[in-house]
Amino acid sequence: MLVAAAYHRRVAAWLIDATIVFGIPIAAAAILIAQSTPPGEDAGQQGTTGIGFLLVLVAPAYSAILHRYWHGQTIGKRLLRIRVVTRTGGRISLGQSFGRSYLRMAFFVAVWVPWIVDSLWPLSNLQRRSLHDFIAGTVVVAADVRGVA
C-alpha cells in the first residue's frame, strides 16, 4: 500500500532542491557580474545575463532526470525520505517525469497564482497529490529507510 508523503516533507524537499537549482546559480551569477564590473561603473548597466531564462529551462530537467533515474528522488526528496512513483507504485517514465517537472515550472512562470494553487493542492486530498501529480499520473510517497523501492 502506498503511503502518501507528509506535506511538510514535500515542502522541505522542495526548499532544498530550490536552493540547489536556483540559489547556487544565482549566487554564482551575482559574483561573476560583480567581478566583471569595472571599478566605478554601475553593475546594473551591464545588461541581462539570461540566467532567469536558463533556469526556467534547466531547473525542471534537474528534477525530471533525477526523478526518473534516481529512484523517484531528487537530492531534497532523498534527504526527506520521500519519492515520486506512479499511482500503482511503479517507477515513473521519462515522459511522466519531464511532463510533471515542466508543468510545475509552467505554473511557476504563469504569474505564480497557478503555482501557489498547485503547491497547496496536496492539502485538499487524501493522497496529497498536487495538480501536476494528477496530470502526470504520479504520487509522492514515503520512501523506505534506504530511499529506494
Side-chain angles (χ1 to χ4, degrees), residues 13-14 17-18 20-22 55-77 84 92-94 96-105 132:
W14 180 85
D17 291 329
I20 293 167
V21 174
F22 295 110
L55 287 175
V56 167
L57 295 177
V58 174
Y62 159 84
S63 64
I65 291 167
L66 288 179
H67 283 144
R68 174 60 184 107
Y69 295 109
W70 206 33
H71 307 289
Q73 296 175 306
T74 58
I75 293 169
K77 283 184 177 69
V84 179
I92 64 174
S93 71
L94 189 59
Q96 282 177 303
S97 189
F98 270 94
R100 181 181 190 279
S101 296
Y102 279 92
L103 180 60
R104 178 86 168 134
M105 182 56 75
H132 66 276

Side-chain angles (χ1 to χ4, degrees), residues 73 77-83 142-149:
Q73 296 175 306
K77 283 184 177 69
R78 176 137 317 184
L79 290 172
L80 273 292
R81 296 186 177 146
I82 60 177
R83 64 191 177 105
D144 70 6
V145 176
R146 292 172 288 126
V148 295

Side-chain angles (χ1 to χ4, degrees), residues 131-143:
L131 292 174
H132 66 276
D133 287 317
F134 278 105
I135 294 167
T138 60
V139 61
V140 180
V141 297

Side-chain angles (χ1 to χ4, degrees), residues 97-117:
S97 189
F98 270 94
R100 181 181 190 279
S101 296
Y102 279 92
L103 180 60
R104 178 86 168 134
M105 182 56 75
F107 287 156
F108 181 77
V109 172
V111 197
W112 286 45
V113 173
W115 181 79
I116 292 169
V117 170

